[in-house]
Amino acid sequence: FDGQPTTTTSTSVNFNVNDNGTWRTVAASISTGSWNHIVGVANASGIYLYLNGSLAASSSSGISTGILNNSSSIMAFGRDVRYTSGRFGSMSIDEVRIYNRALCASEISNNSGCELHGSQSGLQEYYKFNQGFVNGNNSGVTTLYDSSGNSRNGILSSNFTLSGSTSNWIAGAVSGTCSSFTNPIAAITGNSSSISNGATTTSTTNNTNFGSTLLGVGKTETYTITNSGNASLTIGTISFSGTNAS
């Protein structure tokens, strides 16, 4: 989501996940008096906090798989639910998005500072906060519409004054529409012929079948890895497996 702290003192933002009774927490300093794009990501490998499209804090303590499909889980923005009272943030909020999957760094950066483009994989709730008149009399505008297509509209509590420049609908933080994002996809070819993902059958056409060679005589084949997505692809260690692999 996009958040604008209204406090004049230095502050920080926390991302807390209750992992079946164990709190997983990361925190980072945040600028005050200006909008910040804040993203929390949790998966089995760790939890991550992104500010304005860049990783700001992380922990290698991941969450258990049980919490991923817990229908009774509660999400809170601007409140530290580890405490029974108080601990509310003084801030404005815009562009809240909730996914049922972990977003990668490239997608987070792509979707920062703009409204989402078209349909999104795994998007469960999407609140643009585009209702009402900026700083006007919005006493009758109490519904926050869900733009995800899942019709999970929110209702504003009676605590909002809905009039004036605070506790009301205000000018948002984003402009324009995010460009379409496609995950990085590795495509491998040998001898200019495609090697299918997960293929177990070798072929001389794509250089996966080396044929026979004399003892002690090496044989070299060339393979090309390309990225058919529009985000960066990082290639780690390349290994071979199977009979006689070395």
Side-chain angles (χ1 to χ4, degrees):
F1 70 96
D2 289 286
Q4 177 180 234
T6 54
T7 178
T8 57
T9 59
S10 61
T11 188
S12 64
V13 59
N14 287 26
F15 177 47
N16 306 309
V17 180
N18 187 340
D19 184 10
N20 293 329
T22 300
W23 285 104
R24 313 293 186 191
T25 302
V26 288
S29 298
I30 190 173
S31 60
T32 61
S34 60
W35 286 98
N36 297 269
H37 184 63
I38 305 167
V39 180
V41 177
N43 58 30
S45 299
I47 60 174
Y48 311 87
L49 179 62
Y50 292 82
L51 295 180
N52 302 315
S54 299
L55 182 65
S58 64
S59 170
S60 58
S61 297
I63 61 172
S64 65
T65 56
I67 199 172
L68 301 180
N69 296 307
N70 187 349
S71 59
S72 62
S73 296
I74 297 175
M75 302 189 70
F77 298 86
R79 179 194 172 196
D80 192 336
V81 296
R82 294 175 299 174
Y83 300 86
T84 56
S85 62
R87 297 284 177 156
F88 290 97
S90 177
M91 63 191 304
S92 301
I93 294 179
D94 193 17
E95 282 288 305
V96 172
R97 309 158 184 174
I98 302 172
Y99 292 81
N100 64 3
R101 62 181 177 87
L103 275 63
C104 68
S106 296
E107 185 173 9
I108 291 170
S109 178
N110 183 84
N111 293 342
S112 175
C114 46
E115 291 189 349
L116 295 179
H117 172 83
S119 60
Q120 301 283 319
S121 172
L123 185 63
Q124 298 300 295
E125 288 96 28
Y126 180 24
Y127 304 106
K128 296 183 178 181
F129 288 77
N130 287 347
Q131 289 74 245
F133 296 95
V134 174
N135 302 334
N137 182 355
N138 293 299
S139 58
V141 186
T142 58
T143 300
L144 175 61
Y145 291 105
D146 174 18
S147 299
S148 71
N150 294 319
S151 301
R152 295 168 178 166
N153 298 334
I155 303 298
L156 273 63
S157 72
S158 59
N159 294 328
F160 286 92
T161 61
L162 295 178
S163 179
S165 60
T166 61
S167 192
N168 195 8
W169 301 100
I170 64 171
V174 301
S175 61
T177 303
C178 306
S179 59
S180 179
F181 177 81
T182 304
N183 282 312
I185 302 172
I188 305 176
T189 58
N191 194 29
S192 300
S193 297
S194 175
I195 301 174
S196 301
N197 183 29
T200 57
T201 302
T202 61
S203 170
T204 55
T205 302
N206 58 21
N207 290 347
T208 54
N209 188 332
F210 282 36
S212 59
T213 185
L214 297 175
L215 182 64
V217 178
K219 190 172 186 179
T220 301
E221 299 289 5
T222 301
Y223 305 92
T224 303
I225 301 176
T226 58
N227 177 14
S228 58
N230 64 3
S232 298
L233 173 66
T234 300
I235 300 174
T237 302
I238 298 177
S239 61
F240 295 88
S241 62
T243 304
N244 298 325
S246 61

PDB file of all heavy atoms in Angstrom, residues 228-244:
ATOM      1  N   SER A 228      12.403 -14.662 -21.817  1.00  0.00           N
ATOM      2  CA  SER A 228      11.247 -14.246 -22.609  1.00  0.00           C
ATOM      3  C   SER A 228      10.270 -13.397 -21.809  1.00  0.00           C
ATOM      4  O   SER A 228       9.202 -13.052 -22.288  1.00  0.00           O
ATOM      5  CB  SER A 228      10.517 -15.485 -23.157  1.00  0.00           C
ATOM      6  OG  SER A 228      10.112 -16.345 -22.097  1.00  0.00           O
ATOM      7  N   GLY A 229      10.628 -13.037 -20.558  1.00  0.00           N
ATOM      8  CA  GLY A 229       9.804 -12.128 -19.762  1.00  0.00           C
ATOM      9  C   GLY A 229      10.293 -10.700 -19.927  1.00  0.00           C
ATOM     10  O   GLY A 229      11.186 -10.414 -20.735  1.00  0.00           O
ATOM     11  N   ASN A 230       9.704  -9.759 -19.122  1.00  0.00           N
ATOM     12  CA  ASN A 230      10.159  -8.372 -19.222  1.00  0.00           C
ATOM     13  C   ASN A 230      10.793  -7.888 -17.914  1.00  0.00           C
ATOM     14  O   ASN A 230      10.913  -6.699 -17.677  1.00  0.00           O
ATOM     15  CB  ASN A 230       9.020  -7.436 -19.639  1.00  0.00           C
ATOM     16  CG  ASN A 230       7.892  -7.374 -18.611  1.00  0.00           C
ATOM     17  OD1 ASN A 230       7.962  -7.979 -17.544  1.00  0.00           O
ATOM     18  ND2 ASN A 230       6.850  -6.626 -18.937  1.00  0.00           N
ATOM     19  N   ALA A 231      11.191  -8.832 -17.066  1.00  0.00           N
ATOM     20  CA  ALA A 231      11.919  -8.507 -15.832  1.00  0.00           C
ATOM     21  C   ALA A 231      13.264  -9.211 -15.855  1.00  0.00           C
ATOM     22  O   ALA A 231      13.499 -10.128 -16.652  1.00  0.00           O
ATOM     23  CB  ALA A 231      11.111  -8.933 -14.609  1.00  0.00           C
ATOM     24  N   SER A 232      14.164  -8.754 -15.001  1.00  0.00           N
ATOM     25  CA  SER A 232      15.517  -9.319 -14.986  1.00  0.00           C
ATOM     26  C   SER A 232      15.512 -10.790 -14.583  1.00  0.00           C
ATOM     27  O   SER A 232      14.747 -11.199 -13.701  1.00  0.00           O
ATOM     28  CB  SER A 232      16.400  -8.526 -14.016  1.00  0.00           C
ATOM     29  OG  SER A 232      16.513  -7.179 -14.431  1.00  0.00           O
ATOM     30  N   LEU A 233      16.334 -11.578 -15.208  1.00  0.00           N
ATOM     31  CA  LEU A 233      16.482 -12.998 -14.900  1.00  0.00           C
ATOM     32  C   LEU A 233      17.885 -13.224 -14.349  1.00  0.00           C
ATOM     33  O   LEU A 233      18.879 -12.883 -14.994  1.00  0.00           O
ATOM     34  CB  LEU A 233      16.274 -13.848 -16.160  1.00  0.00           C
ATOM     35  CG  LEU A 233      16.567 -15.345 -16.039  1.00  0.00           C
ATOM     36  CD1 LEU A 233      15.569 -15.999 -15.099  1.00  0.00           C
ATOM     37  CD2 LEU A 233      16.542 -16.017 -17.404  1.00  0.00           C
ATOM     38  N   THR A 234      17.951 -13.774 -13.149  1.00  0.00           N
ATOM     39  CA  THR A 234      19.243 -14.074 -12.523  1.00  0.00           C
ATOM     40  C   THR A 234      19.515 -15.566 -12.633  1.00  0.00           C
ATOM     41  O   THR A 234      18.692 -16.386 -12.219  1.00  0.00           O
ATOM     42  CB  THR A 234      19.246 -13.648 -11.044  1.00  0.00           C
ATOM     43  OG1 THR A 234      18.997 -12.233 -10.961  1.00  0.00           O
ATOM     44  CG2 THR A 234      20.590 -13.961 -10.403  1.00  0.00           C
ATOM     45  N   ILE A 235      20.657 -15.916 -13.184  1.00  0.00           N
ATOM     46  CA  ILE A 235      21.020 -17.318 -13.368  1.00  0.00           C
ATOM     47  C   ILE A 235      22.065 -17.692 -12.331  1.00  0.00           C
ATOM     48  O   ILE A 235      23.118 -17.058 -12.241  1.00  0.00           O
ATOM     49  CB  ILE A 235      21.553 -17.571 -14.788  1.00  0.00           C
ATOM     50  CG1 ILE A 235      20.491 -17.205 -15.823  1.00  0.00           C
ATOM     51  CG2 ILE A 235      21.982 -19.021 -14.960  1.00  0.00           C
ATOM     52  CD1 ILE A 235      20.982 -17.289 -17.246  1.00  0.00           C
ATOM     53  N   GLY A 236      21.778 -18.713 -11.533  1.00  0.00           N
ATOM     54  CA  GLY A 236      22.703 -19.170 -10.513  1.00  0.00           C
ATOM     55  C   GLY A 236      23.568 -20.294 -11.019  1.00  0.00           C
ATOM     56  O   GLY A 236      24.001 -20.315 -12.188  1.00  0.00           O
ATOM     57  N   THR A 237      23.806 -21.280 -10.184  1.00  0.00           N
ATOM     58  CA  THR A 237      24.659 -22.410 -10.540  1.00  0.00           C
ATOM     59  C   THR A 237      23.953 -23.332 -11.533  1.00  0.00           C
ATOM     60  O   THR A 237      22.782 -23.665 -11.363  1.00  0.00           O
ATOM     61  CB  THR A 237      25.037 -23.202  -9.290  1.00  0.00           C
ATOM     62  OG1 THR A 237      25.694 -22.340  -8.372  1.00  0.00           O
ATOM     63  CG2 THR A 237      25.949 -24.366  -9.644  1.00  0.00           C
ATOM     64  N   ILE A 238      24.629 -23.724 -12.570  1.00  0.00           N
ATOM     65  CA  ILE A 238      24.102 -24.665 -13.572  1.00  0.00           C
ATOM     66  C   ILE A 238      24.677 -26.033 -13.281  1.00  0.00           C
ATOM     67  O   ILE A 238      25.888 -26.203 -13.114  1.00  0.00           O
ATOM     68  CB  ILE A 238      24.476 -24.207 -14.993  1.00  0.00           C
ATOM     69  CG1 ILE A 238      23.851 -22.838 -15.278  1.00  0.00           C
ATOM     70  CG2 ILE A 238      24.024 -25.251 -16.010  1.00  0.00           C
ATOM     71  CD1 ILE A 238      24.234 -22.279 -16.643  1.00  0.00           C
ATOM     72  N   SER A 239      23.811 -27.021 -13.188  1.00  0.00           N
ATOM     73  CA  SER A 239      24.257 -28.377 -12.866  1.00  0.00           C
ATOM     74  C   SER A 239      23.616 -29.386 -13.804  1.00  0.00           C
ATOM     75  O   SER A 239      22.635 -29.079 -14.490  1.00  0.00           O
ATOM     76  CB  SER A 239      23.895 -28.727 -11.410  1.00  0.00           C
ATOM     77  OG  SER A 239      22.482 -28.678 -11.225  1.00  0.00           O
ATOM     78  N   PHE A 240      24.197 -30.572 -13.844  1.00  0.00           N
ATOM     79  CA  PHE A 240      23.694 -31.662 -14.666  1.00  0.00           C
ATOM     80  C   PHE A 240      23.339 -32.835 -13.767  1.00  0.00           C
ATOM     81  O   PHE A 240      23.979 -33.071 -12.736  1.00  0.00           O
ATOM     82  CB  PHE A 240      24.745 -32.108 -15.701  1.00  0.00           C
ATOM     83  CG  PHE A 240      25.081 -31.054 -16.718  1.00  0.00           C
ATOM     84  CD1 PHE A 240      26.075 -30.124 -16.468  1.00  0.00           C
ATOM     85  CD2 PHE A 240      24.410 -31.006 -17.914  1.00  0.00           C
ATOM     86  CE1 PHE A 240      26.386 -29.149 -17.405  1.00  0.00           C
ATOM     87  CE2 PHE A 240      24.708 -30.034 -18.856  1.00  0.00           C
ATOM     88  CZ  PHE A 240      25.695 -29.100 -18.600  1.00  0.00           C
ATOM     89  N   SER A 241      22.308 -33.561 -14.149  1.00  0.00           N
ATOM     90  CA  SER A 241      21.904 -34.727 -13.385  1.00  0.00           C
ATOM     91  C   SER A 241      21.519 -35.871 -14.345  1.00  0.00           C
ATOM     92  O   SER A 241      21.298 -35.638 -15.526  1.00  0.00           O
ATOM     93  CB  SER A 241      20.712 -34.389 -12.456  1.00  0.00           C
ATOM     94  OG  SER A 241      19.592 -33.995 -13.218  1.00  0.00           O
ATOM     95  N   GLY A 242      21.454 -37.048 -13.788  1.00  0.00           N
ATOM     96  CA  GLY A 242      21.100 -38.198 -14.601  1.00  0.00           C
ATOM     97  C   GLY A 242      22.238 -39.184 -14.721  1.00  0.00           C
ATOM     98  O   GLY A 242      23.331 -38.978 -14.181  1.00  0.00           O
ATOM     99  N   THR A 243      22.023 -40.229 -15.459  1.00  0.00           N
ATOM    100  CA  THR A 243      23.026 -41.276 -15.632  1.00  0.00           C
ATOM    101  C   THR A 243      24.273 -40.718 -16.298  1.00  0.00           C
ATOM    102  O   THR A 243      24.184 -40.012 -17.320  1.00  0.00           O
ATOM    103  CB  THR A 243      22.460 -42.422 -16.487  1.00  0.00           C
ATOM    104  OG1 THR A 243      21.262 -42.902 -15.873  1.00  0.00           O
ATOM    105  CG2 THR A 243      23.460 -43.562 -16.585  1.00  0.00           C
ATOM    106  N   ASN A 244      25.434 -41.001 -15.725  1.00  0.00           N
ATOM    107  CA  ASN A 244      26.738 -40.588 -16.253  1.00  0.00           C
ATOM    108  C   ASN A 244      26.940 -39.069 -16.255  1.00  0.00           C
ATOM    109  O   ASN A 244      27.832 -38.562 -16.936  1.00  0.00           O
ATOM    110  CB  ASN A 244      26.945 -41.105 -17.681  1.00  0.00           C
ATOM    111  CG  ASN A 244      26.948 -42.622 -17.726  1.00  0.00           C
ATOM    112  OD1 ASN A 244      27.419 -43.275 -16.805  1.00  0.00           O
ATOM    113  ND2 ASN A 244      26.398 -43.162 -18.817  1.00  0.00           N
TER     114      ASN A 244
END
